[in-house]
């Protein structure tokens, strides 16, 4: 299994939560309170903003990214894929993203001791959407994990090197 900037464990550790952006911490507060009209409205608003202008919705994040990530993001082919992906993701609304958000505050649905396959993880050291510290917590619980840390990169850093992702998949097959 290859994880690319993946959410791996619930946000139940203060160090991990401290590594989240302010916006993510505010979202986490709403998620921890459980389903509510305010939470639903927040996610519906995010979905509308992203579906309406996927590239523009990422602008607040991009300003803090490393130069390689910014260069990757500004490529017209990458932006076209992002636009298509986001419009497809939100075609039926915000419920999928909200359900995913609620999973970030719930206990894992699996026992990590049952994971017997090799796990390869690529993750930016400055990821403020899915902090690297959360991946380190996972690594301490899995018998066969290798991590590639993208120093100075954020959430989308590993995507700037798609060949590395496919090479990791191929190496274990």
């Amino acid at each position: 299994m290859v994880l690319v900037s993946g959410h791996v464990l619930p946000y139940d550790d203060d160090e991990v939560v401290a590594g989240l952006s302010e916006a993510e911490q505010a979202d986490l507060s709403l998620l921890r309170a459980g389903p509510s009209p305010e939470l639903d409205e927040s996610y519906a608003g995010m979905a509308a903003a992203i579906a309406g202008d996927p590239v523009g919705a990422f602008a607040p994040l991009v300003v803090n990214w490393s130069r390689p990530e910014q260069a990757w993001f500004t490529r017209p082919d990458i932006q076209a894929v992002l636009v298509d992906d986001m419009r497809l993701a939100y075609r039926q609304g915000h419920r999928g993203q909200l359900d995913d958000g609620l999973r970030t505050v719930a206990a894992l649905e699996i026992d990590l001791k049952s994971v017997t396959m090799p796990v390869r993880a690529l993750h930016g050291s400055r990821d403020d959407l899915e902090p690297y510290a959360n991946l380190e917590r996972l690594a301490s619980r899995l018998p066969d994990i290798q991590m590639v840390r993208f120093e100075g990169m954020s959430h989308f850093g590993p995507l700037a090197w798609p060949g590395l992702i496919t090479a990791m998949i191929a190496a274990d097959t």
Side-chain angles (χ1 to χ4, degrees), residues 27 30 36-54 56-58 86 90 92-98:
D27 183 47
L30 286 173
S36 69
E38 182 182 11
L39 180 63
D40 197 66
E41 184 178 307
S42 174
Y43 273 72
M46 282 190 288
I50 291 170
D53 182 9
F58 280 86
M86 293 295 106
Y90 292 108
Q92 295 184 15
H94 66 282
R95 286 299 314 176
Q97 183 184 18
L98 177 55

Side-chain angles (χ1 to χ4, degrees), residues 14 16 20 27 46 50 53 56 64 67-68 80 103 106 108 111 118-119 124 139 150 173:
D14 291 339
V16 171
L20 294 169
D27 183 47
M46 282 190 288
I50 291 170
D53 182 9
N64 295 316
R67 288 180 196 241
R103 282 186 179 86
L108 285 181
D111 178 0
V119 176
F150 287 78
T173 55

Side-chain angles (χ1 to χ4, degrees), residues 141-157:
R141 300 174 190 188
L142 292 176
D144 186 2
I145 183 169
Q146 293 176 3
M147 301 185 313
V148 176
R149 179 181 169 117
F150 287 78
E151 198 59 48
M153 302 259 173
S154 64
H155 190 69
F156 293 91

Side-chain angles (χ1 to χ4, degrees), residues 77-130:
D77 60 324
I78 296 300
Q79 289 189 354
V81 168
L82 174 72
V83 167
D84 288 346
D85 186 50
M86 293 295 106
R87 290 202 172 129
L88 178 62
Y90 292 108
R91 183 181 65 208
Q92 295 184 15
H94 66 282
R95 286 299 314 176
Q97 183 184 18
L98 177 55
D99 289 345
D100 285 348
L102 289 167
R103 282 186 179 86
T104 68
V105 296
L108 285 181
E109 297 169 2
I110 65 164
D111 178 0
L112 291 174
K113 292 177 184 158
S114 69
V115 177
T116 58
M117 70 181 74
V119 176
R120 306 301 176 244
L122 297 92
H123 211 101
S125 67
R126 291 185 43 227
D127 189 336
D128 65 353
L129 299 177
E130 302 294 347

